[in-house]
Amino acid sequence: MARIAQQIRKAYALCAHMLTEGRAELDDLDDMGFDVNLPVFTVSQAAQAAGVHPQTLRQYDRVGLVKPQRTGGGARRYSLRDLDRLVQAQHLSQDESINLAGITRILELQEENRQLRRQIRRLRRPAGSSIFAADADGDIVEVQRSRRARMWRHEIHAHAREITAGPASQEESLLLPPALPAHAAAQTTMVVWQPEL
């Protein structure tokens, strides 16, 4: 099982690289079947991927700009969504000279815009093409019917503890889903949104 975690970590590291280099958008990775909220990266991995000092991540956490998830022992774990926010925050701070309060507001508005675009896509889909579920945090999840994507996500979530636990042995392997053409990727998407409180 630990090998599964290692291969998944490598796939997510590749996604992080594509995201931080501007070669992929967060929604694209979500559409490809990656869970953009899965806490995979340690502080040092996230700092290296985003090109920031680890202490900057801790400061962003303190001010609420990027809120990583925590392991049982209290260690921070960052997701692809967190990395996207880090890269954007660095750009806005360094290149645009915007203060942290302004960056927070901009990122909130971008996330709201992303959620609205997802709702528009969902509303344009034919009726009956999706099912709804709740994730472990109680968030509503819309899942388009796709057995391969559903099985792959199940494997990821079933072994989420191993993913965030650290180095893995090389006992087992997992075949990740092949890259899908654009028309097929639209048939295997997962849309996650959080209702406003």
Side-chain angles (χ1 to χ4, degrees):
M1 297 297 172
R3 174 73 179 207
I4 293 171
Q6 183 180 23
Q7 288 188 351
I8 292 171
R9 256 190 253 110
K10 286 180 182 179
Y12 276 83
L14 179 61
C15 289
H17 180 71
M18 291 172 50
L19 188 66
T20 58
E21 293 291 317
R23 291 190 279 162
E25 296 286 328
L26 192 62
D27 286 338
D28 296 336
L29 298 174
D30 189 31
D31 289 344
M32 289 172 51
F34 288 96
D35 182 352
V36 296
N37 295 309
L38 186 66
V40 178
F41 307 101
T42 64
V43 171
S44 61
Q45 291 168 335
Q48 182 180 9
V52 299
H53 192 277
Q55 194 59 38
T56 303
L57 297 183
R58 293 178 183 95
Q59 179 185 1
Y60 285 175
D61 187 15
R62 279 192 296 275
V63 299
L65 185 62
V66 177
K67 300 174 189 170
Q69 297 178 43
R70 303 283 182 147
T71 64
R76 293 174 176 91
R77 290 293 186 264
Y78 292 85
S79 66
L80 290 171
R81 182 178 305 279
D82 296 330
L83 287 179
D84 185 54
R85 288 179 66 91
L86 288 170
V87 169
Q88 291 181 46
Q90 277 302 104
H91 167 71
L92 292 170
S93 172
Q94 302 298 316
D95 301 337
E96 305 294 332
S97 300
I98 299 174
N99 66 20
L100 292 181
I103 293 170
T104 301
R105 183 65 181 139
I106 289 169
L107 294 178
E108 286 171 357
L109 291 171
Q110 284 180 338
E111 183 58 30
E112 184 178 324
N113 189 342
R114 181 179 290 133
Q115 298 299 334
L116 291 171
R117 285 194 315 266
R118 287 179 182 166
Q119 286 180 352
I120 289 170
R121 280 193 309 235
R122 179 184 56 83
L123 292 171
R124 287 184 178 163
R125 281 193 225 129
S129 63
S130 299
I131 57 174
F132 297 88
D135 67 10
D137 297 328
D139 297 329
I140 298 172
V141 179
E142 180 181 358
V143 183
Q144 199 165 18
R145 298 173 194 269
S146 168
R147 183 177 174 161
R148 184 177 1 167
R150 189 171 50 245
M151 295 298 290
W152 186 60
R153 274 201 181 88
H154 172 73
E155 287 294 320
I156 289 172
H157 288 292
H159 305 294
R161 248 184 222 186
E162 293 177 44
I163 292 171
T164 59
S169 67
Q170 300 188 9
E171 295 174 357
E172 297 183 14
S173 64
L174 167 72
L175 297 175
L176 296 175
L180 299 172
H183 70 280
Q187 298 171 352
T188 59
T189 60
M190 179 174 188
V191 179
V192 180
W193 74 93
Q194 295 187 6
E196 291 190 17
L197 299 175

